Amino acid sequence: MIKQAREVSHQCTHCGEPCPPEEQFCCQGCQAVYELLNENGLCRYYEINEKPGVAQRQAVRKDKFAFLDNERTQQQLLRYRDEKQAHVTFHIPHIHCSSCLWLLENLHRLDPGVQRTEVNFAEKEARIIYDPSQTSLRKIAETLTSIGYEPYISLQDLRARKPAPNRKLIYQLGVAGFCFSNIMLLSFPEYFSGEGHMEGQMTVVFRYLNLLLSLPVFFYSAQAFYMPAWKGLKHGFLNIDLPIVLAIVTTFTRSVVDVLSGTGGGYFDSMTGIVMFMLIGRLLQDKTYRGLSFDRDYTAYFPIAVTVMKNGEEAPTQLPDVRTGDTLLIHNQELIPADGLLVKGSALIDYSFVTGESVPVRKQMGEIIYAGGRQLDGNMEILTIREVAQSYLTSLWNREELRKDNPGKPSFIHLLGQYFTWVVLLIAAVTAIYWGVYDSAKIWPAVTAILIIACPCALLLAASFTNGHMLRILSRHKLYLRNAQAIERMAGLTHIVFDKTGTLTGKSSTTVTWHGRELTHAEVSAIAALTAHSQHPASRQVREFAGKPLVHTIDRFSEQTGQGLQGWVHQMHVQLGSAAYTGARDTETPGASVVHVNINGDHAGYYLLQHAYRQGIPEMLGDLQRHFGLTLLSGDQPGEAENLRRMMGPDATLLFRQQAHDKLDRIVQLQEKGEKVLMIGDGLNDAGALRQSDCGISLTEDSNNFTPASDGILEASQLHRLPAFIRMSKINKRIILIAFVYSIAYNLTGLFFAVQGILSPLTAAILMPSSSISIILLTWGMSEYAGRKLLR
């Protein structure tokens, strides 16, 4: 066996991809972008980052963004418009470095109609303000595409927006922080001067100022805790917000009484400090990954518009306006949005996203083509037989099992909090009764100190900060979990279910090897030139392996559907295809495709195309089988069964030719046996199983691309880290329990003095934030250490 090699001497000036030694650019697209930037004085783009360009491999159709000329579409996409300016926000997945930000912020130099561009790097969005009298939405989209930053515009952009940040929580924290800092400042004279050592009139003024500053915190900022506590009481559940509310109300009431009666300055600093520290923890948890959408539906996969043929002319039409009987023009590499009959053109459909089957399907004239597939063989026309809302893809998404709720069991933090609340209330009640009998003057100080010292701030902060920091650690390694409950569910797993195509194997990752005599450079170039004229997946894979052709002229080219292709290249006849097409001896290889090569009538050998398993998959499966039950659910044929059995172990369950309902049923069967199931998949055929499982993770080549509804999104390159991710989830729970034990020890120590009435509320107020800060430092340090140790 001879594995062909290519000589690569240097990289493309624009994108950094390999290119021949005598050329500066790998393709005409990269050269066009470089020249465009150079003409507009924007070549500093290449100085900010080395090789920052995005490869321009495919030319974009001139009419691709024609739908943006539609007034109705503009009204739905634009956030604001008047005679002088319009605002639009585009999602641009190719934003990846500082040079991207610089170039996009200088978009006005490429299009004078653009007034300003604001880039949100974290969410890969660009907010563009432009003058509608000088440019248009379509022209801006085409300009972005021409420089390698094509905006991703889907049907979901017309129907839903990303969840907005909880601005009320931010405002509440801002108010609490402002009031707390000023109350502390006004309280310092009384802290350090002692009783009777400050002028009486100034003391009264400072106390009333503290009272005034505490009102916004009590009536506005603390609302974040009032509502959850009240809802819990309405449902007969004492949640962990209740002791926080009791501490706030008791401290505020006691302080107001002290100030109005002139007996003291109260504990407004304690009350506002409780609210501020708790709001910080809540805000961090609320803010984590709200930018990622975990409940995407088919509208995020569909384009906004499609080309409809009317009276022989092409008319861009919004998908909701497509009707049964319309003729749709589907371009090469475009998604099929509605079920229809093939009436013109050649159809080679990739249904891997819908069915999990990796082999494209050839369709004949008059056959039904279902929504959700992608056309791979030039342009075609289909006659719609169902509207978009009634298509096969939509019906898959709207199945009952995808709509039902799957809340899972309550978090162990909430269960701990319930018992914690009862214990605190019991201790406060017993203390009040005791001092009511022996010394009524100590009731208020003792009960107030108990509620402050026993406020579950440390416990909640331990959970919030540990979970929040763990989510950030996992995100640094490209695992984006929906919430903290997903971490808990991962920690309790007993069984892991994998999809195969697109999960264990890459959708576009194929190993190509050459078996035969050694080919000359001219022969390799001829093969590359011939395959460049075909859109068949096998041809594209051979072309990528062969490299860039030295010549592009092909004489007497012909391609026989599903069989092969042939042509003359520099007086050399080249024929590629199946054994029957080339007359070669049939070479059967399970789980692989064979492309035979004839040159000038002689059989030179064949290319073997095999789906490549992702990096580290055998090692990962070997690790997991020692601790978990494993199952494979694949829509593919069982050609790889022997290889998979070797990697997954003798006890693993391997099931092939699985449809969407088969995968869902298998998850239910495992759960009925008491298993806690993790499902990892990538396609819509996995969506039901992902939703039904205790924890579902969608695998994607790019976290900005479409993924089914799930508990988390994992970039495919990091799948081999799955055992480490699960261990991190288990460690996360241990860290929270350690922090809880620390918090309990602190509370018991404080309560020992508080119930005796010898711990003042002021001292309790100082100890409370000290404990919270120490908890934060403890949990942060342990989480960071575990992350660096396991995910290095």
Side-chain angles (χ1 to χ4, degrees):
M1 181 179 73
I2 302 172
K3 187 165 183 177
Q4 185 176 321
R6 297 195 298 264
E7 181 182 356
V8 177
S9 61
H10 69 282
Q11 296 177 321
C12 173
T13 301
H14 174 66
C15 69
E17 293 290 325
C19 64
E22 70 277 4
E23 298 187 22
Q24 188 178 0
F25 302 98
C26 65
C27 62
Q28 292 182 351
C30 287
Q31 183 175 356
V33 175
Y34 183 89
E35 291 173 352
L36 176 65
L37 299 180
N38 186 47
E39 289 171 4
N40 290 273
L42 292 174
C43 274
R44 185 167 176 263
Y45 172 67
Y46 299 99
E47 299 174 6
I48 301 175
N49 286 88
E50 185 179 359
K51 310 301 181 191
V54 179
Q56 303 294 305
R57 291 287 178 207
Q58 297 178 358
V60 179
R61 298 191 333 266
K62 292 182 179 180
D63 62 342
K64 181 168 186 177
F65 295 104
F67 65 90
L68 293 178
D69 287 334
N70 183 277
E71 182 65 24
R72 180 181 165 197
T73 302
Q74 292 180 23
Q75 290 176 354
Q76 292 173 300
L77 287 177
L78 293 176
R79 302 294 181 89
Y80 173 82
R81 180 169 63 178
D82 59 26
E83 294 180 356
K84 296 183 178 180
Q85 62 177 226
H87 300 193
V88 66
T89 299
F90 282 140
H91 178 64
I92 305 178
H94 287 149
I95 296 175
H96 69 288
C97 64
S98 57
S99 57
C100 300
L101 271 65
W102 181 85
L103 181 57
L104 291 172
E105 288 174 352
N106 282 275
L107 188 63
H108 60 277
R109 297 175 67 178
L110 296 175
D111 186 342
V114 174
Q115 298 174 348
R116 186 168 76 252
T117 305
E118 300 171 357
V119 181
N120 185 330
F121 183 82
E123 298 188 10
K124 299 193 175 182
E125 289 181 343
R127 178 171 174 263
I128 301 171
I129 301 173
Y130 67 95
D131 185 346
S133 65
Q134 296 186 37
T135 189
S136 65
L137 203 57
R138 176 181 177 178
K139 184 180 177 183
I140 292 172
E142 290 174 343
T143 300
L144 287 169
T145 303
S146 71
I147 60 174
Y149 295 97
E150 180 178 346
Y152 180 75
I153 308 173
S154 69
L155 183 60
Q156 192 177 54
D157 293 322
L158 301 185
R159 300 187 175 185
R161 298 292 182 188
K162 285 184 178 180
N166 191 342
R167 296 192 180 278
K168 184 177 180 180
L169 198 61
I170 297 173
Y171 296 150
Q172 287 172 332
L173 176 58
V175 169
F178 172 81
C179 295
F180 172 71
S181 59
N182 281 279
I183 288 174
M184 289 295 292
L185 185 64
L186 293 171
S187 300
F188 276 148
E190 192 164 352
Y191 289 163
F192 297 112
S193 64
E195 189 67 30
H197 293 284
M198 189 171 68
E199 186 179 338
Q201 188 174 1
M202 290 301 298
T203 300
V204 173
V205 170
F206 283 3
R207 288 176 178 178
Y208 274 94
L209 284 174
N210 284 344
L211 172 59
L212 188 64
L213 286 167
S214 70
L215 295 178
V217 178
F218 183 78
F219 289 105
Y220 176 68
S221 297
Q223 287 179 9
F225 309 105
Y226 296 154
M227 294 306 297
W230 172 244
K231 289 178 181 178
L233 287 174
K234 281 173 61 177
H235 292 87
F237 181 77
L238 296 183
N239 58 32
I240 205 164
D241 287 307
L242 184 61
I244 298 174
V245 171
L246 286 176
I248 293 170
V249 172
T250 303
T251 308
F252 178 77
T253 304
R254 168 68 188 277
S255 302
V256 170
V257 171
D258 283 353
V259 171
L260 295 180
S261 64
T263 55
Y267 311 101
F268 296 116
D269 46 2
S270 307
M271 187 272 291
T272 53
I274 292 171
V275 174
M276 186 189 73
F277 277 105
M278 294 310 305
L279 283 175
I280 291 174
R282 185 138 314 174
L283 181 65
L284 287 176
Q285 209 166 22
D286 179 75
K287 193 176 179 181
T288 303
Y289 306 116
R290 61 173 176 77
L292 278 173
S293 175
F294 292 92
D295 292 315
R296 308 178 193 187
D297 62 14
Y298 69 92
T299 60
Y301 193 43
F302 280 175
I304 285 181
V306 69
T307 303
V308 176
M309 301 300 295
K310 295 182 179 179
N311 301 321
E313 295 183 356
E314 300 179 9
T317 305
Q318 285 194 10
L319 281 190
D321 296 332
V322 172
R323 298 290 178 258
T324 301
D326 286 346
T327 300
L328 307 184
L329 173 61
I330 308 297
H331 297 86
N332 186 51
Q333 295 296 322
E334 277 191 347
L335 177 81
I336 301 161
D339 300 343
L341 299 174
L342 179 63
V343 295
K344 185 178 180 181
S346 176
L348 182 66
I349 313 299
D350 176 11
Y351 278 118
S352 60
F353 178 76
V354 177
T355 66
E357 177 63 53
S358 61
V359 179
V361 179
R362 178 66 66 179
K363 293 289 185 178
Q364 303 299 325
M365 201 74 68
E367 285 192 271
I368 295 179
I369 298 179
Y370 293 102
R374 190 174 297 277
Q375 164 69 331
L376 302 179
D377 193 9
N379 297 347
M380 68 176 181
E381 294 182 12
I382 64 171
L383 179 68
T384 56
I385 59 175
R386 297 187 189 93
E387 296 180 10
V388 175
Q390 281 79 45
S391 69
Y392 174 70
L393 179 64
T394 309
S395 66
L396 278 179
W397 197 271
N398 291 331
R399 293 196 311 272
E400 184 64 30
E401 61 266 20
L402 296 183
R403 294 201 301 267
K404 69 180 182 179
D405 252 349
N406 185 20
K409 67 178 184 180
S411 166
F412 79 97
I413 289 295
H414 292 294
L415 297 176
L416 286 175
Q418 186 177 13
Y419 295 115
F420 185 90
T421 300
W422 279 112
V423 171
V424 170
L425 293 177
L426 180 62
I427 293 174
V430 170
T431 302
I433 293 171
Y434 177 84
W435 289 116
V437 174
Y438 292 100
D439 187 354
S440 59
K442 291 187 175 181
I443 294 177
W444 266 106
V447 171
T448 304
I450 288 172
L451 291 176
I452 294 175
I453 204 72
C455 174
C457 301
L459 173 60
L460 282 184
L461 283 174
S464 298
F465 276 91
T466 305
N467 287 330
H469 190 57
M470 188 62 69
L471 288 172
R472 284 188 289 276
I473 291 174
L474 294 176
S475 75
R476 291 204 296 261
H477 295 86
K478 310 304 180 183
L479 172 60
Y480 307 96
L481 294 179
R482 178 198 290 263
N483 50 34
Q485 284 68 42
I487 304 179
E488 288 187 30
R489 289 195 288 269
M490 282 188 68
L493 297 174
T494 60
H495 200 101
I496 303 176
V497 177
F498 291 98
D499 174 48
K500 174 180 160 288
T501 305
T503 303
L504 295 180
T505 64
K507 285 184 178 179
S508 58
S509 176
T510 304
T511 300
V512 181
T513 52
W514 168 251
H515 299 252
R517 67 173 176 81
E518 185 173 1
L519 299 173
T520 66
H521 286 294
E523 290 172 335
V524 172
S525 178
I527 292 172
L530 185 66
T531 53
H533 285 68
S534 171
Q535 291 298 324
H536 192 280
S539 297
R540 295 202 307 269
Q541 291 157 4
V542 170
R543 182 174 69 248
E544 290 176 3
F545 180 76
K548 190 174 181 179
L550 299 177
V551 295
H552 298 275
T553 304
I554 307 294
D555 296 324
R556 285 177 281 174
F557 173 84
S558 66
E559 182 172 9
Q560 187 172 335
T561 302
Q563 294 297 317
L565 60 156
Q566 61 179 323
W568 288 83
V569 187
H570 268 226
Q571 300 181 347
M572 185 187 306
H573 182 258
V574 181
Q575 188 180 35
L576 286 83
S578 64
Y581 182 74
T582 59
R585 187 180 65 181
D586 195 8
T587 305
E588 292 188 5
T589 304
S593 301
V594 177
V595 178
H596 291 273
V597 179
N598 284 351
I599 298 179
N600 293 328
D602 294 328
H603 185 255
Y606 61 89
Y607 288 101
L608 188 66
L609 283 58
Q610 292 179 300
H611 282 293
Y613 287 94
R614 298 189 188 277
Q615 178 186 4
I617 291 300
E619 295 80 5
M620 177 198 74
L621 293 174
D623 188 349
L624 292 176
Q625 66 179 275
R626 294 194 292 268
H627 307 285
F628 304 96
L630 298 181
T631 294
L632 179 85
L633 302 177
S634 174
D636 271 351
Q637 303 299 316
E640 283 285 292
E642 183 179 344
N643 193 20
L644 286 165
R645 173 67 65 190
R646 187 165 53 252
M647 289 190 292
M648 299 182 73
D651 297 327
T653 301
L654 307 182
L655 299 175
F656 297 90
R657 303 187 185 94
Q658 298 291 293
Q659 299 297 316
H661 64 275
D662 298 321
K663 296 185 177 186
L664 174 64
D665 292 342
R666 183 60 185 173
I667 298 295
V668 172
Q669 292 170 13
L670 289 170
Q671 290 174 326
E672 288 175 349
K673 295 178 182 178
E675 302 282 4
K676 300 299 180 184
V677 182
L678 167 67
M679 171 69 192
I680 300 181
D682 70 306
L684 182 56
N685 62 315
D686 301 320
L690 287 167
R691 188 67 185 271
Q692 177 63 40
S693 60
D694 296 276
C695 184
I697 294 180
S698 298
L699 205 70
T700 177
E701 303 291 342
D702 183 345
S703 62
N704 296 288
N705 288 346
F706 177 85
T707 53
S710 58
D711 295 298
I713 298 173
L714 174 62
E715 287 202 7
S717 61
Q718 300 298 308
L719 178 59
H720 67 282
R721 294 183 184 271
L722 182 61
F725 290 144
I726 296 175
R727 293 188 188 104
M728 285 294 293
S729 301
K730 295 178 182 293
I731 289 174
N732 182 75
K733 187 172 183 178
R734 293 175 196 160
I735 293 174
I736 293 176
L737 290 174
I738 291 171
F740 180 71
V741 171
Y742 173 86
S743 175
I744 290 295
Y746 155 80
N747 283 334
L748 289 175
T749 304
L751 287 173
F752 175 77
F753 297 101
V755 296
Q756 300 178 62
I758 58 177
L759 181 66
S760 72
L762 176 62
T763 305
I766 295 172
L767 292 176
M768 185 273 294
S770 302
S771 171
S772 300
I773 292 172
S774 63
I775 283 286
I776 292 170
L777 294 175
L778 177 67
T779 58
W780 181 88
M782 289 190 292
S783 301
E784 196 67 24
Y785 174 77
R788 294 186 178 184
K789 183 178 180 181
L790 289 177
L791 299 173
R792 56 176 182 265

